[in-house]
Amino acid sequence: METAAQLASTDVLVQVHIPKCAGTSVAEWLRLATFAGALTGFGAFYPDFIFSDEGLWQVGLHDPRLTALSAHNIRRFPPKIHDRRLHYFTILRRPLPHFLSIVRYMLQERTAYAVPAAVGDALYDMARWLLERPAGSGFRENSQTNHLALYPWCDATAGRCDPSRYETWSKADRSAYERERLDVAKAVLRSFLVVGTVERLHDTLEVLRVRSAQHGLQLLEVEALPWTNVTKIPIGDVSWLEHDPLGKRVVESLAVDTELYAYAERLLDEALAREGCNQHRA
């Protein structure tokens, strides 16, 4: 009788979980696929450090039963680690709702994000504090693009730019990163097995099911997706986005993400056509 290890694939489905992009629900869907026997093993890895290739190997990839995983902190995307072939997918979200979701979550988890007591409990107060943080601070601007582009771009500098120490970069390097990051993020997305959006999650997961199966990785029907909302703070009044100068600053801070989101939608449309998937109608 074959063991689970013998039945397992060398291929691994990797969810690059950009925060506040429905990733918790998708990760739970992958976990349910394991419970149902569709996958031989699933891992959710959420440490407070960025994985190296060897670190990811040690935490779970070395186990041949692991055929799907989810993590925030995979920020480099090698096609292979040792004998495991990695097939990445990610989900983007419309930038303004994404920003507001981040702000609401930071309000909810003030201690975890070291939000000063002087910052009020309104979304307006948190948004202003977030935009006024030092350059390079997490979630300050274009966070979806930065999630995908920062580490690959820094790696290309051969150690000159440390992604965790933006304050040490030269002015020229900062300008170069801001100028080049969109193209880097697009190249990363093109290398992924599937790219989708929160707003078209059903379409995204249908393509993921088809393309994963081509690598021997079976997933559940999309209808089995559970909906998990980890942000409990209500959205409240956001009229200031339209008539307050802070609203304009927020929109300007998302300009690169807006371009990247449009590109992700284009990739999803192309994938749906190529795989012959019918678009879901809500």
Side-chain angles (χ1 to χ4, degrees):
M1 183 175 179
E2 291 179 298
T3 65
Q6 289 170 327
L7 289 169
S9 170
T10 59
D11 294 87
V12 183
L13 186 62
V14 181
Q15 179 191 4
V16 177
H17 181 178
I18 298 174
K20 313 315 299 172
C21 288
T24 302
S25 296
V26 174
E28 184 60 21
W29 181 65
L30 295 174
R31 190 192 309 275
L32 292 174
T34 303
F35 292 157
L39 296 170
T40 58
F42 169 75
F45 306 128
Y46 288 82
D48 57 1
F49 56 84
I50 304 300
F51 279 115
S52 65
D53 294 0
E54 196 59 31
L56 193 57
W57 176 261
Q58 293 297 331
V59 81
L61 273 185
H62 68 280
D63 187 336
R65 295 170 298 178
L66 184 76
T67 49
L69 65 93
S70 173
H72 286 316
N73 288 350
I74 295 174
R75 304 287 293 276
R76 298 177 172 95
F77 316 106
K80 194 172 184 181
I81 297 179
H82 294 288
D83 63 339
R84 308 303 301 274
R85 293 187 296 268
L86 308 183
H87 305 286
Y88 301 94
F89 77 95
T90 197
I91 299 168
L92 278 68
R93 187 173 182 179
R94 288 193 185 280
L96 186 54
H98 181 248
F99 176 85
L100 292 174
S101 183
I102 288 169
V103 169
R104 289 162 58 212
Y105 191 68
M106 293 179 81
L107 275 172
Q108 178 177 303
E109 306 293 339
R110 296 179 68 108
T111 301
Y113 288 99
V115 178
V119 177
D121 290 329
L123 263 65
Y124 181 94
D125 300 326
M126 181 63 74
R128 182 173 57 187
W129 173 75
L130 191 55
L131 292 182
E132 290 174 353
R133 297 175 77 194
S137 299
F139 305 117
R140 179 177 175 270
E141 50 88 34
N142 295 302
S143 60
Q144 297 181 79
T145 303
N146 292 334
H147 191 100
L148 297 166
L150 179 61
Y151 279 76
W153 187 90
C154 287
D155 289 349
T157 70
R160 187 178 70 253
C161 295
D162 182 339
S164 66
R165 300 188 63 198
Y166 183 83
E167 72 279 1
T168 68
W169 294 16
S170 69
K171 183 177 180 180
D173 281 329
R174 292 186 186 193
S175 296
Y177 174 68
E178 291 181 5
R179 185 172 61 251
E180 298 167 7
R181 60 183 168 178
L182 178 60
D183 287 339
V184 173
K186 286 180 176 180
V188 167
L189 292 184
R190 287 196 300 271
S191 74
F192 282 8
L193 181 68
V194 174
V195 175
T197 68
V198 172
E199 290 75 16
R200 297 171 63 189
L201 193 54
H202 190 286
D203 290 344
T204 300
L205 298 184
E206 281 293 353
V207 174
L208 184 63
R209 290 181 70 249
V210 171
R211 292 191 170 176
S212 296
Q214 294 167 2
H215 297 282
L217 302 170
Q218 305 299 323
L219 303 177
L220 299 180
E221 296 291 330
V222 177
E223 287 70 23
L225 176 75
W227 192 254
T228 305
N229 189 353
V230 298
T231 304
K232 310 302 181 186
I233 299 288
I235 193 166
D237 177 27
V238 292
S239 60
W240 53 269
L241 285 167
E242 297 182 5
H243 58 70
D244 190 279
L246 182 65
K248 182 179 179 181
R249 288 176 58 197
V250 168
V251 172
E252 290 173 347
S253 78
L254 304 173
V256 183
D257 273 3
T258 299
E259 290 191 61
L260 188 65
Y261 180 87
Y263 187 71
E265 284 206 306
R266 192 153 65 248
L267 291 177
L268 178 56
D269 284 336
E270 292 171 0
L272 286 164
R274 188 173 297 119
E275 303 303 340
C277 299
N278 293 323
Q279 291 194 35
H280 177 69
R281 302 298 179 187

